Amino acid sequence: MHLLPGGRHALVGVGRGDGLGKEHLDVVSLATGEHRFLLKDVLDARFDGQGHLLYVPFGHSELAVVTFDDARRTITGQPVTVLDGVALSLEGNAGYYAMAANGTLAYAPAPQIGNPASWSPMEFVGRDGKVEPSDLPVALNPRFSPDGRRLVYGSASAKTLDVFTYDLERKVAQRLTGDDG
């Protein structure tokens, strides 16, 4: 679920009930519970606050975008693939990407899941589509802080899964969970 600006509606993935994780995307009124269909075969949809829905098409490791009228809560364009090779969760129901309010995209490149030695560091992509140089860590399920100055993400080793924050200005990671023993 992704809450839309104003807090009165949310984007909700509605599953088929077959255990495959395949969903369609609805916008739901939190006051009435009314559902309105938006897109089929969608995983992990989010509104960027700038008139776009970002999502992972079911069965693909890509990130797609489609224009969205937040006031009318309707799709107003055709979906376009903006990034190929986004890592997915082990369950295949979430893409490892995050969008900051300034339009910067952070994502974990695929194939991320499997052998931790093969994992790639996160990358930033500007609105112009160019990958920005960074020294970001290898990460699972990144999310920007509301002010866009930090990322929170998971990091796995053969024995542990921990949660970290990464300060984008100071370029410093801080572990929030786990122990050394």
Side-chain angles (χ1 to χ4, degrees), residues 56-64 81 83-88 95 107-111:
V56 176
F58 181 78
H60 300 274
S61 65
E62 62 190 40
L63 188 63
T81 299
L83 188 62
D84 196 16
V86 174
L88 302 176
Y107 76 99

Side-chain angles (χ1 to χ4, degrees), residues 40-72:
K40 68 177 184 172
D41 300 341
V42 171
L43 301 174
D44 202 9
R46 303 175 203 167
F47 180 60
D48 72 354
Q50 307 289 321
H52 304 96
L53 289 181
L54 291 93
Y55 65 94
V56 176
F58 181 78
H60 300 274
S61 65
E62 62 190 40
L63 188 63
V65 64
V66 65
T67 53
F68 178 71
D69 183 334
D70 179 40
R72 294 185 0 215

Side-chain angles (χ1 to χ4, degrees), residues 36-141:
R36 182 185 306 159
F37 174 83
L38 293 176
L39 292 168
K40 68 177 184 172
D41 300 341
V42 171
L43 301 174
D44 202 9
R46 303 175 203 167
F47 180 60
D48 72 354
Q50 307 289 321
H52 304 96
L53 289 181
L54 291 93
Y55 65 94
V56 176
F58 181 78
H60 300 274
S61 65
E62 62 190 40
L63 188 63
V65 64
V66 65
T67 53
F68 178 71
D69 183 334
D70 179 40
R72 294 185 0 215
R73 293 172 302 286
T74 57
I75 301 294
T76 60
Q78 293 297 313
V80 175
T81 299
V82 294
L83 188 62
D84 196 16
V86 174
L88 302 176
S89 67
L90 287 171
E91 299 82 17
N93 62 0
Y96 289 157
Y97 74 96
M99 177 71 77
N102 70 0
T104 300
L105 174 71
Y107 76 99
Q112 172 129 19
I113 304 304
N115 177 2
S118 71
W119 293 359
S120 300
M122 284 189 292
E123 295 177 345
F124 280 144
V125 179
R127 284 195 184 270
D128 60 3
K130 293 182 182 175
V131 176
E132 300 173 10
S134 73
D135 59 350
L136 293 170
V138 170
L140 305 172
N141 207 15

